[in-house]
Amino acid sequence: MDDGVASALAAFGARTQDVDAARMQAAPAAFEVYAENWDAVQLFEALSTQWRAVAFGTMASARIVHMGLDYAAIEPVARLIGIGKRRRPAVFQQLRVMEDAALAVLLAEVS
Protein backbone atom coordinates (compact mmCIF):
# COMPACT_ATOMS: atom_id res chain seq x y z
CA MET A 1 0.00 0.00 0.00
CA ASP A 2 1.42 3.39 -0.83
CA ASP A 3 1.10 6.70 0.99
CA GLY A 4 -1.54 7.79 -1.54
CA VAL A 5 -3.96 5.20 -0.16
CA ALA A 6 -3.38 6.41 3.39
CA SER A 7 -3.89 10.01 2.27
CA ALA A 8 -7.12 9.04 0.52
CA LEU A 9 -8.36 7.31 3.66
CA ALA A 10 -7.65 10.47 5.64
CA ALA A 11 -9.40 12.63 3.03
CA PHE A 12 -12.52 10.47 3.27
CA GLY A 13 -12.60 10.74 7.05
CA ALA A 14 -11.15 7.40 8.10
CA ARG A 15 -10.24 7.01 11.74
CA THR A 16 -6.73 8.15 12.65
CA GLN A 17 -5.71 4.65 13.73
CA ASP A 18 -6.83 3.24 10.35
CA VAL A 19 -4.83 5.86 8.46
CA ASP A 20 -1.79 5.12 10.65
CA ALA A 21 -2.22 1.38 10.07
CA ALA A 22 -2.35 1.98 6.30
CA ARG A 23 0.86 4.00 6.46
CA MET A 24 2.54 1.15 8.39
CA GLN A 25 1.65 -1.21 5.52
CA ALA A 26 3.45 0.94 2.95
CA ALA A 27 5.13 -0.97 0.15
CA PRO A 28 8.72 -1.90 0.91
CA ALA A 29 11.52 0.01 -0.76
CA ALA A 30 12.56 -1.01 -4.25
CA PHE A 31 14.90 -3.95 -4.50
CA GLU A 32 17.30 -5.24 -7.10
CA VAL A 33 16.73 -8.41 -9.11
CA TYR A 34 19.70 -10.12 -10.73
CA ALA A 35 19.36 -10.29 -14.51
CA GLU A 36 19.44 -14.10 -14.50
CA ASN A 37 16.37 -14.12 -12.21
CA TRP A 38 14.33 -11.48 -14.03
CA ASP A 39 12.36 -13.91 -16.22
CA ALA A 40 11.32 -15.93 -13.15
CA VAL A 41 10.24 -12.80 -11.29
CA GLN A 42 8.16 -11.65 -14.25
CA LEU A 43 6.61 -15.11 -14.62
CA PHE A 44 5.83 -15.32 -10.89
CA GLU A 45 4.12 -11.93 -11.04
CA ALA A 46 2.19 -12.87 -14.20
CA LEU A 47 0.94 -16.01 -12.44
CA SER A 48 -0.26 -14.11 -9.37
CA THR A 49 -3.90 -15.03 -10.09
CA GLN A 50 -3.11 -18.70 -10.76
CA TRP A 51 -2.86 -20.07 -7.24
CA ARG A 52 -4.70 -23.27 -6.42
CA ALA A 53 -6.49 -22.94 -3.12
CA VAL A 54 -8.82 -25.02 -0.99
CA ALA A 55 -11.51 -23.51 1.22
CA PHE A 56 -12.29 -25.06 4.57
CA GLY A 57 -15.19 -23.90 6.62
CA THR A 58 -17.55 -24.55 9.45
CA MET A 59 -20.45 -22.55 10.78
CA ALA A 60 -18.00 -20.76 13.10
CA SER A 61 -15.07 -20.01 10.78
CA ALA A 62 -13.63 -20.38 7.34
CA ARG A 63 -10.18 -20.28 5.82
CA ILE A 64 -8.46 -20.65 2.49
CA VAL A 65 -5.30 -22.73 2.18
CA HIS A 66 -3.05 -22.14 -0.82
CA MET A 67 -1.77 -25.37 -2.33
CA GLY A 68 0.54 -24.03 -5.03
CA LEU A 69 0.53 -22.55 -8.50
CA ASP A 70 -1.63 -24.02 -11.24
CA TYR A 71 1.11 -25.70 -13.27
CA ALA A 72 -1.13 -25.91 -16.35
CA ALA A 73 -0.96 -22.11 -16.60
CA ILE A 74 2.82 -21.81 -16.42
CA GLU A 75 3.84 -22.68 -19.98
CA PRO A 76 1.20 -20.60 -21.79
CA VAL A 77 1.94 -17.61 -19.57
CA ALA A 78 5.70 -18.06 -20.08
CA ARG A 79 5.09 -18.06 -23.85
CA LEU A 80 2.88 -14.98 -23.68
CA ILE A 81 5.44 -12.95 -21.75
CA GLY A 82 8.19 -13.96 -24.18
CA ILE A 83 10.29 -16.50 -22.29
CA GLY A 84 12.04 -18.58 -24.93
CA LYS A 85 11.47 -22.31 -25.20
CA ARG A 86 15.08 -23.19 -24.30
CA ARG A 87 15.03 -20.98 -21.23
CA ARG A 88 11.71 -22.26 -19.82
CA PRO A 89 13.07 -25.32 -17.92
CA ALA A 90 15.56 -23.18 -15.95
CA VAL A 91 12.96 -20.48 -15.30
CA PHE A 92 10.52 -23.17 -14.13
CA GLN A 93 13.05 -24.34 -11.53
CA GLN A 94 13.50 -20.75 -10.33
CA LEU A 95 9.73 -20.35 -10.21
CA ARG A 96 9.41 -23.43 -8.02
CA VAL A 97 11.85 -21.92 -5.52
CA MET A 98 9.75 -18.74 -5.43
CA GLU A 99 6.54 -20.76 -5.09
CA ASP A 100 8.00 -22.72 -2.18
CA ALA A 101 9.02 -19.52 -0.38
CA ALA A 102 5.60 -17.94 -1.01
CA LEU A 103 3.80 -21.07 0.28
CA ALA A 104 5.84 -20.95 3.49
CA VAL A 105 4.57 -17.41 4.10
CA LEU A 106 0.99 -18.15 3.01
CA LEU A 107 0.75 -21.28 5.16
CA ALA A 108 2.24 -19.47 8.15
CA GLU A 109 -0.58 -16.91 7.88
CA VAL A 110 -3.15 -19.71 8.20
CA SER A 111 -1.62 -21.14 11.38
Side-chain angles (χ1 to χ4, degrees):
M1 181 174 318
D2 63 18
D3 192 53
V5 173
S7 297
L9 286 170
F12 283 101
R15 298 179 308 170
T16 304
Q17 65 251 36
D18 293 333
V19 174
D20 291 342
R23 285 201 169 97
M24 295 294 289
Q25 295 177 16
F31 57 91
E32 187 174 342
V33 176
Y34 291 123
E36 62 267 21
N37 296 327
W38 185 240
D39 285 342
V41 170
Q42 287 186 300
L43 182 58
F44 186 78
E45 176 61 28
L47 291 165
S48 66
T49 61
Q50 298 302 313
W51 284 92
R52 289 191 178 203
V54 177
F56 295 100
T58 65
M59 294 298 281
S61 67
R63 66 182 184 184
I64 295 176
V65 177
H66 290 82
M67 306 303 290
L69 289 169
D70 181 356
Y71 280 22
I74 294 172
E75 189 165 6
V77 171
R79 248 191 339 262
L80 287 169
I81 66 171
I83 298 174
K85 190 173 185 175
R86 288 186 180 163
R87 181 116 171 79
R88 285 183 210 146
V91 172
F92 176 67
Q93 293 306 317
Q94 293 172 317
L95 180 71
R96 291 186 67 207
V97 171
M98 295 174 71
E99 175 191 34
D100 188 51
L103 280 171
V105 172
L106 291 168
L107 293 174
E109 291 176 357
V110 173
S111 300

